[in-house]
Amino acid sequence: MAKRPAAKKKRKLTTDRGVVHIKSSFNNTIITLTDPEGNTLMWTSGGTAGYSGSKKSTPYAAQLGADKIAKEAIKLGITRVGIEVKGPGSGREAAIRTIQAAGLTVETLKDITPLPHNGCRPRRRRRV
């Protein structure tokens, strides 16, 4: 019988700060909780909230995911968070409001959506 590898121990955080990354696309919203160095502590999305298909992209699915992240952050001892939002999806505002309502203090709110400087190369000119 093969021996199973030991599960990783959850280490206790030494700080009360964290960063919540919200990546919102048109198909899903992925919410990640990290420590200030960027090491992932937990993540959730519209799919892990129990939805599939077009329901994953709804603000309600993002709200459920954000609530789950906020409760876990409070369990870990995180009270102050910075929020980084990326993408054009519909779950952005719902996730931010839910994190604030759950009792976490939002220190910073940053939009890090990438913007093209000059865009893609245009199509060739049409010959008639």
Side-chain angles (χ1 to χ4, degrees):
M1 196 159 120
K3 192 173 179 184
R4 206 171 51 150
K8 263 189 175 177
K9 270 191 183 177
K10 280 193 177 179
R11 59 187 171 87
K12 184 70 179 162
L13 293 173
T14 56
T15 180
D16 63 340
R17 284 199 167 108
V19 182
V20 176
H21 302 268
I22 301 170
K23 197 231 178 249
S24 180
S25 70
F26 292 119
N27 296 319
N28 204 352
T29 303
I30 300 171
I31 305 163
T32 308
L33 174 67
T34 65
D35 60 9
E37 287 79 50
N39 302 314
T40 301
L41 303 173
M42 183 193 174
W43 69 272
T44 185
S45 68
T48 59
Y51 290 106
S52 63
S54 61
K55 290 189 181 77
K56 285 193 299 188
S57 60
T58 60
Y60 182 68
Q63 181 181 334
L64 292 179
D67 193 45
K68 193 174 177 184
I69 285 280
K71 286 178 181 169
E72 187 68 26
I74 291 168
K75 271 187 203 172
L76 289 171
I78 296 173
T79 55
R80 298 181 290 170
V81 294
I83 298 179
E84 292 186 359
V85 187
K86 188 180 216 176
S90 61
R92 297 163 48 120
E93 282 80 22
I96 294 167
R97 283 196 193 101
T98 305
I99 288 169
Q100 287 175 327
L104 292 173
T105 306
V106 176
E107 291 183 329
T108 59
L109 182 57
K110 232 191 273 187
D111 190 351
I112 55 170
T113 305
L115 295 171
H117 294 291
N118 205 7
C120 301
R121 184 171 182 245
R123 287 182 59 184
R124 65 171 180 84
R125 187 159 173 225
R126 192 168 161 255
R127 292 190 290 262
V128 181

